[in-house]
């Protein structure tokens, strides 16, 4: 296979320990094909469960928002459809998105990058800062896309178990001990699937103690469901931090594919040296229009957060009443420990027309459940009472 990577990119990869045989895999990964293919095949991916007719189902399996985009933002996106014969109808739609994100988050525009979702920059950061001699470290369980990328690239992977003793929070000191020379330390906060937060002070400690040349990759896909401080504070201080954001969760744009990263310009430049900047420039017009307006809707974001919290609290109260163990969450999902294999229980929920989430290999007796609307969570509780007598 002839690699489409530039000569500069190939030289960089060889210098960092990749082999020429890896060029095709890297090029494929950066095109997202390997990641999508591997996640779809994985028995534990569960992002889009196969063989299910979702019509009439209560869908609590994929951490999607229970409703659509904010109406005003959706209208902006819908209106832009009629101008989508142009790559950029105004000539500055992407610039507007970047400026809006910069203004809302208080981060320089030079530190903001746009993407079609956040999977590409996640995989790209691993290619860029990891190598056969500098691995990836994550919590376990956590979002698995990084594991897939590490396996695909044949780079070292260390997974640090979450524990009850630590409140199921990511243990940054254990991460550093697991691989003191890693290229990427990946922290999802709030974590997927537990919804638990990694305190900002812990992330800052890891940034200060990690090895030179590595980065701390902070996935904040669920940060808008929490009122916790963001790691963007570290980006503003020009630390070795890349923050991932997606419009798929709070902004309910999962099907529109839009994401952002926040990092120093030199880190972004390094991430894009393999295939130019096309992945960050060619974005769906409706997604840009919808996303730009969504970022400004502070009151609507707060109201949606409170709506989710109310439904989550009602569910937790029901679980406590039933004596069912769960992990308290700061996001729109949580983990239930059934104390027995989770797969039959998941199947039993399907029989009740309720789709719940997957398990992770480290916790085969636990299921992730997405927080839906109040009505959806009442349906979940009713189904649970039928299944768990």
């Amino acid at each position: 296979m002839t690699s489409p990577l530039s000569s500069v990119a190939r030289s960089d990869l060889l210098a960092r320990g990749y082999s020429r045989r890896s060029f095709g895999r890297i090029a494929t990964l950066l095109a997202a094909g390997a990641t999508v293919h591997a996640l779809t095949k994985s028995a534990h991916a569960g992002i889009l469960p196969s063989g299910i007719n979702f019509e009439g189902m209560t869908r609590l399996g994929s951490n999607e928002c229970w409703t659509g985009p904010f109406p005003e933002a959706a209208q902006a996106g819908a209106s832009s459809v009629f101008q989508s014969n142009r790559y950029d109808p105004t000539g500055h739609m992407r610039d507007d998105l970047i400026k809006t994100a910069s203004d809302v988050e208080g981060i320089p525009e030079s530190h903001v990058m746009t993407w079609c979702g956040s999977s590409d920059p996640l995989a790209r950061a691993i290619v860029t800062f990891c190598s056969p001699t500098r691995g990836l470290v994550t919590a376990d369980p956590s979002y698995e896309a990084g594991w897939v990328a590490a396996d695909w690239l044949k780079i070292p992977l260390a997974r640090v178990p979450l524990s009850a003793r630590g409140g199921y929070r990511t243990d940054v000191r254990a991460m550093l001990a697991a691989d003191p020379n890693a290229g990427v330390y990946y922290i999802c906060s709030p974590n997927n699937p537990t919804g638990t937060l990694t305190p900002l002070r812990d992330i800052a400690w890891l940034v200060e103690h990690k090895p030179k040349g590595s980065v701390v990759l902070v996935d904040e896909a669920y940060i808008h469901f929490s009122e916790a401080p963001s790691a963007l504070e570290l980006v503003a201080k020009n630390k070795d931090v890349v923050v991932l954001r997606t419009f798929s969760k709070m902004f309910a744009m999962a099907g529109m594919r839009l994401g952002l990263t926040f990092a120093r310009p030199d880190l972004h430049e390094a991430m894009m040296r393999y295939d130019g900047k096309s992945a960050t420039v060619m974005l769906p017009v409706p997604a840009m229009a919808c996303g730009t307006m969504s970022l400004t809707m502070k009151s609507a974001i707060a109201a949606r957060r409170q709506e989710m919290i109310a439904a989550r609290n009602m569910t937790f109260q029901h679980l406590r009443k039933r004596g069912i163990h769960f992990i308290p969450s700061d996001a729109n999902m949580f983990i239930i420990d059934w104390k027995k294999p989770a797969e039959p229980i998941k199947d039993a929920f399907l029989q009740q027309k309720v789709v719940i989430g997957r398990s992770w290999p480290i916790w085969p007796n636990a299921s992730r459940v997405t927080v839906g609307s109040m009505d959806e969570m009442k349906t979940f509780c009713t189904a649970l009472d039928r299944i768990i007598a």
Side-chain angles (χ1 to χ4, degrees):
M1 174 180 178
T2 302
S3 170
L5 300 171
S6 70
S7 59
V8 172
R10 292 195 297 271
S11 296
D12 162 72
L13 292 167
L14 289 171
R16 291 193 294 115
Y18 287 102
S19 69
R20 294 184 185 279
R21 289 178 296 178
S22 68
F23 291 169
R25 282 180 169 264
I26 290 169
T28 303
L29 184 67
L30 294 179
T35 302
V36 173
H37 178 66
L39 283 173
T40 301
K41 285 182 64 178
S42 169
H44 300 287
I47 292 176
L48 293 173
S50 60
I52 297 177
N53 181 353
F54 287 118
E55 188 173 354
M57 292 280 191
T58 298
R59 298 172 62 169
L60 306 175
S62 301
N63 291 353
E64 299 155 324
C65 192
W66 62 91
T67 187
F70 298 122
E72 298 90 337
Q75 183 58 53
S79 297
S80 74
V81 168
F82 298 99
Q83 298 176 291
S84 293
N85 58 309
R86 305 295 182 190
Y87 292 115
D88 187 339
T90 67
H92 49 76
M93 288 189 75
R94 179 174 176 272
D95 292 342
D96 290 345
L97 175 59
I98 289 173
K99 184 179 187 307
T100 301
S102 170
D103 291 344
V104 168
E105 302 295 351
I107 299 294
E109 292 181 38
S110 59
H111 289 48
V112 184
M113 189 61 64
T114 57
W115 305 87
C116 289
S118 61
S119 294
D120 181 317
L122 193 163
R124 190 176 295 263
I126 293 170
V127 170
T128 304
F129 302 107
C130 291
S131 71
T133 60
R134 303 200 68 175
L136 168 69
V137 183
T138 80
D140 188 9
S142 189
Y143 182 51
E144 310 101 318
W147 304 351
V148 172
D151 179 66
W152 182 254
L153 296 171
K154 309 302 180 186
I155 64 174
L157 171 65
R159 294 183 277 198
V160 177
L162 302 181
S163 69
R165 184 176 61 183
Y168 300 103
R169 296 183 179 90
T170 302
D171 186 337
V172 295
R173 287 166 175 79
M175 291 180 78
L176 185 60
D179 187 346
N181 192 45
V184 172
Y185 297 89
Y186 171 82
I187 297 173
C188 188
S189 183
N191 183 50
N192 176 11
T194 61
T196 49
L197 290 163
T198 305
L200 182 57
R201 64 180 179 274
D202 288 359
I203 298 174
W205 181 91
L206 181 58
V207 171
E208 293 305 316
H209 291 83
K210 67 172 186 61
K212 184 179 180 180
S214 67
V215 299
V216 177
L217 182 62
V218 185
D219 190 338
E220 293 188 341
Y222 303 94
I223 195 70
H224 292 97
F225 289 113
S226 169
E227 294 181 333
S230 166
L232 290 181
E233 175 182 316
L234 300 173
V235 174
K237 295 177 181 177
N238 288 314
K239 300 294 185 179
D240 294 332
V241 175
V242 178
V243 172
L244 302 172
R245 291 281 184 87
T246 180
F247 288 80
S248 298
K249 309 306 177 184
M250 168 63 77
F251 300 115
M253 294 170 54
M256 298 180 76
R257 311 310 306 139
L258 188 65
L260 298 170
T261 52
F262 299 83
R264 282 198 323 265
D266 62 293
L267 298 180
H268 275 148
E269 287 294 329
M271 290 167 63
M272 293 183 292
R273 62 188 161 189
Y274 306 110
D275 59 351
K277 300 183 179 181
S278 60
T280 71
V281 174
M282 302 303 291
L283 304 171
V285 166
M288 286 192 287
C290 187
T292 300
M293 181 167 287
S294 295
L295 288 173
T296 68
M297 302 183 68
K298 185 176 180 180
S299 296
I301 293 169
R304 184 169 285 183
R305 180 189 305 120
Q306 291 307 311
E307 184 178 352
M308 185 279 297
I309 290 172
R312 188 181 66 195
N313 286 346
M314 181 278 296
T315 307
F316 286 177
Q317 184 178 6
H318 187 83
L319 294 173
R320 290 188 185 100
K321 183 179 178 180
R322 291 295 317 275
I324 295 174
H325 178 72
F326 65 93
I327 299 176
S329 165
D330 217 66
N332 69 325
M333 95 292 280
F334 58 94
I335 284 284
I336 290 182
D337 183 359
W338 304 110
K339 306 297 184 182
K340 56 185 177 180
E343 198 63 28
I345 295 177
K346 181 179 178 181
D347 292 341
F349 272 100
L350 273 179
Q351 294 300 313
Q352 298 293 322
K353 296 189 179 301
V354 176
V355 181
I356 65 171
R358 63 192 186 272
S359 301
W360 271 247
I362 194 173
W363 290 347
N365 292 346
S367 298
R368 186 190 67 189
V369 179
T370 302
V371 179
S373 68
M374 182 66 78
D375 285 345
E376 287 174 333
M377 299 318 293
K378 288 178 179 177
T379 298
F380 167 79
C381 291
T382 298
L384 181 145
D385 289 344
R386 291 172 180 160
I387 295 165
I388 310 295

